[in-house]
Amino acid sequence: QVQLVESGGGLVQPGGSLRLSCAASGTIFSISAMGWYRQAPGKQRELVARITSASSTDYADSVKGRFTISRDKAKNTVYLQMNSLKPEDTAVYYCNRAIRAIGEYQSYAYWGQGTQVTVSS
């Protein structure tokens, strides 16, 4: 059974940090490139961080140098460490497969519930 469960979101002040977790069930996730996406109100969902099965990483320019994606294959869990948060990082964050590179079109049938990140003073 395919399942994605995101957690770790919350309200944080600008400049603060959060660590998101994504527990994935299903063999396909352990062998796939995985990514963290976000969707702000009125905007399309975008891929901001990607990690391959070999743990090679890539980031959107908007988060490069501030966010770090990692994965624990034994636990089938993907993490997103977010530092120096800005109000424009406010969004619902989701994890999912990320077969294609950042900026390319991706479409997946199943999504978890996401976790809300709000950056505000």
Side-chain angles (χ1 to χ4, degrees):
Q1 181 179 356
V2 173
Q3 192 173 22
L4 294 163
V5 180
E6 300 93 346
S7 62
L11 173 64
V12 63
Q13 292 186 341
S17 298
L18 283 174
R19 188 191 193 211
L20 307 184
S21 299
C22 169
S25 62
T27 304
I28 193 168
F29 295 114
S30 66
I31 61 174
S32 294
M34 295 292 292
W36 280 97
Y37 301 75
R38 68 185 182 188
Q39 187 167 22
K43 295 188 176 181
Q44 288 190 335
R45 185 154 42 200
E46 61 171 342
L47 177 63
V48 297
R50 180 176 182 265
I51 186 166
T52 68
S53 59
S55 295
S56 175
T57 60
D58 195 16
Y59 301 92
D61 288 343
S62 58
V63 307
K64 199 170 291 184
R66 300 186 298 121
F67 290 11
T68 302
I69 187 172
S70 60
R71 69 190 300 171
D72 184 332
K73 286 190 174 182
K75 296 181 179 179
N76 226 8
T77 301
V78 183
Y79 304 97
L80 186 68
Q81 178 66 43
M82 305 187 296
N83 298 327
S84 302
L85 283 162
K86 304 175 181 180
E88 51 263 44
D89 295 319
T90 295
V92 180
Y93 284 71
Y94 304 86
C95 71
N96 209 329
R97 300 169 67 201
I99 302 302
R100 295 183 174 84
I102 289 176
E104 296 185 8
Y105 177 77
Q106 323 223 24
S107 179
Y108 303 104
Y110 178 82
W111 292 86
Q113 83 288 349
T115 186
Q116 175 71 48
V117 172
T118 302
V119 185
S120 175
S121 55

